[in-house]
Amino acid sequence: MGSATTQAVAAMTTALDAASAVDLDVARELFAAARVIGGSPQLGGALADSSAAPAARAKVVTDLFGSAFATASVALLSTAVQHAWSSSSDLVDGIEELAVRAAAKAAPDADVESELFAFSRTVAANPELELALGSRAGDSAVKGELVRTLLETRVSEATVLIASSLVQQSRERRVRELLGRAIQLAAAQRKRVVATVASAVPLTAQQQTRLAAALSARYDTEVAINTVVDPATVGGLRVQIADDVIDGTVASRLSELRQRLAG
């Protein structure tokens, strides 16, 4: 991610935090805008062209989406295109990120991170589903409808919107990669981080609560827990937060012991 993109993403996030009329319809419109811009290299190039005046780029957004989108959606999109981006692809990624964050903001009581994580595990366990959702040849609208069919009535509307929208515009990214990124974004919007915890047996609710409290104290921020049952750990826990891994499993200790004996 180039420095221009980093600054643009920060500006968009600030604008979203300050916006007061953000609901799931706004998030849905932002996802739709990302698909429109991503599907037109000419439009994407024009909106990311730093040689054009920011006001002119904002006018393109107003002319294109103003009559169909909510005022809040147009304002956020205008903010996005008025900043410099390292590439048109980064602009599309940025609007998509904005949409995920907007969905998380619009549904503060929904457990979006856990629901997306559970769906990611479902995809990982079903190669045919992962292939169907990730195929370049598949119709994007059909992919979105498949996800909605799988998730509706089972998870929150915000999670359905995020997952079904992301699979419609994968842009060479794997489905699990898209979902993983969305989990991190939803957590960041709520000012917390996500820990993926692997254990040989399911953790009780009390154990998860204690672990979350311990990790929150260690990282000085709220930590949400996603759990994975992995018999290969044998015992203990393996905790991953972003690139930070805490491996206290029996399997890890046995591996270290074997290495010492071999050395």
Side-chain angles (χ1 to χ4, degrees):
M1 182 182 294
S3 60
T5 292
T6 300
Q7 293 175 22
V9 168
M12 284 196 317
T13 302
T14 299
L16 177 64
D17 288 341
S20 59
V22 177
D23 56 19
L24 287 180
D25 285 336
V26 168
R28 188 173 291 107
E29 289 170 353
L30 292 173
F31 275 122
R35 288 194 295 273
V36 170
I37 297 170
S40 172
Q42 183 178 6
L43 176 60
L47 292 176
D49 182 6
S50 58
S51 66
R57 300 198 298 269
K59 185 176 185 303
V60 172
V61 165
T62 301
D63 291 345
L64 188 60
F65 301 112
S67 63
F69 284 6
T71 300
S73 303
V74 176
L76 289 168
L77 289 169
S78 296
T79 297
V81 302
Q82 288 184 76
H83 286 83
W85 294 85
S86 301
S87 68
S88 59
S89 177
D90 280 0
L91 170 61
V92 176
D93 286 347
I95 294 173
E96 189 175 78
E97 173 175 330
L98 188 64
V100 173
R101 285 178 172 273
K105 178 176 180 175
D109 297 327
D111 194 0
V112 174
E113 299 99 313
S114 293
E115 291 171 349
L116 287 172
F117 181 75
F119 182 53
S120 178
R121 299 293 296 172
T122 298
V123 172
N126 292 271
E128 291 185 1
L129 174 60
E130 185 167 21
L131 180 61
L133 295 176
S135 172
R136 296 174 59 184
D139 181 272
S140 61
V142 172
K143 294 177 185 177
E145 187 57 36
L146 173 58
V147 170
R148 280 190 290 272
T149 300
L150 290 171
L151 295 181
E152 276 182 339
T153 74
R154 296 177 175 86
V155 299
S156 65
E157 186 180 353
T159 297
V160 174
L161 173 61
I162 292 171
S164 64
S165 298
L166 290 176
V167 300
Q168 293 184 63
Q169 192 172 334
S170 61
R171 300 197 307 282
E172 308 300 326
R173 298 168 297 177
R174 298 181 64 185
V175 174
R176 278 182 281 168
E177 177 187 349
L178 292 170
L179 295 173
R181 177 61 175 155
I183 291 168
Q184 299 300 326
L185 291 172
Q189 183 60 35
R190 296 170 178 188
K191 305 298 186 290
R192 61 190 183 193
V193 297
V194 176
T196 300
V197 181
S199 59
V201 296
L203 299 180
T204 65
Q206 186 177 26
Q207 288 173 323
Q208 291 187 48
T209 299
R210 289 201 304 266
L211 179 59
L215 291 172
S216 295
R218 173 169 179 163
Y219 287 91
D220 195 27
T221 189
E222 183 181 353
V223 176
I225 300 291
N226 286 329
T227 60
V228 177
V229 175
D230 181 4
T233 62
V234 183
L237 300 175
R238 182 179 187 273
V239 179
Q240 180 167 0
I241 298 179
D243 295 328
D244 195 3
V245 177
I246 306 169
D247 196 339
T249 63
V250 172
S252 174
R253 293 195 290 272
L254 289 174
S255 177
E256 291 175 2
L257 178 59
R258 283 194 295 268
Q259 290 176 5
R260 290 176 185 172
L261 292 174

